């Protein structure tokens, strides 16, 4: 199984024909929620959105972005990639 970095690189490598791709790190102070993030990058001309989230949020984020694609924003392709297992009990 690929680790998160290899998986993300593979998706980006395969997205060349889709046009502009964004790889960004967004903090909560930049946008109020993921819909705001998506809207911002759509306005900047991004065609392929790649969202990296904790492994426990991948399915939820895929459904959310699919629900709003074509309504609040429009991307040719949206990928949601796991950043790996989240540490629920940090030391």
């Amino acid at each position: 199984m690929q680790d998160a970095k290899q998986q993300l690189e593979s998706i980006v490598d395969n997205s060349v024909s889709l046009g502009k791709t964004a790889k960004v790190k967004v903090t909560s102070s930049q946008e109020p929620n993921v819909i705001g993030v998506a809207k911002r990058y759509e306005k900047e001309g991004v065609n392929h959105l790649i969202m990296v989230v904790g492994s426990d949020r991948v399915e939820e984020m895929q459904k959310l972005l699919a629900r709003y694609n074509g309504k609040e924003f429009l991307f040719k392709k949206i990928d949601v990639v796991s950043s790996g297992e989240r540490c629920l009990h940090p030391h």
Side-chain angles (χ1 to χ4, degrees), residues 33 50 57 60 68 75 86:
N33 57 45
I50 302 170
R57 305 250 169 111
E60 171 189 355
Y68 288 100
F75 295 99
R86 291 181 358 145

Side-chain angles (χ1 to χ4, degrees), residues 15-31:
S15 69
V16 174
S17 63
L18 294 171
K20 190 172 180 183
T21 299
K23 290 194 305 185
V24 295
K25 181 176 180 180
V26 178
T27 63
S28 60
S29 64
Q30 292 174 307
E31 295 293 341

Side-chain angles (χ1 to χ4, degrees), residues 5 7 20-21 28 44 56 59 68 71 77 79:
K5 183 177 179 184
Q7 186 179 6
K20 190 172 180 183
T21 299
S28 60
E44 291 181 12
D56 61 327
E59 186 177 340
Y68 288 100
K71 296 175 184 145
K77 186 171 182 184
D79 286 301

Side-chain angles (χ1 to χ4, degrees), residues 16-72:
V16 174
S17 63
L18 294 171
K20 190 172 180 183
T21 299
K23 290 194 305 185
V24 295
K25 181 176 180 180
V26 178
T27 63
S28 60
S29 64
Q30 292 174 307
E31 295 293 341
N33 57 45
V34 69
I35 302 303
V37 172
K39 285 179 175 182
R40 177 167 46 118
Y41 286 104
E42 186 226 10
K43 286 179 184 175
E44 291 181 12
V46 172
N47 297 312
H48 180 191
L49 181 69
I50 302 170
M51 184 73 60
V52 181
V53 298
S55 62
D56 61 327
R57 305 250 169 111
V58 172
E59 186 177 340
E60 171 189 355
M61 194 62 60
Q62 287 171 329
K63 289 177 183 178
L64 178 70
L65 291 170
R67 183 179 321 130
Y68 288 100
N69 195 29
K71 296 175 184 145
E72 295 288 328

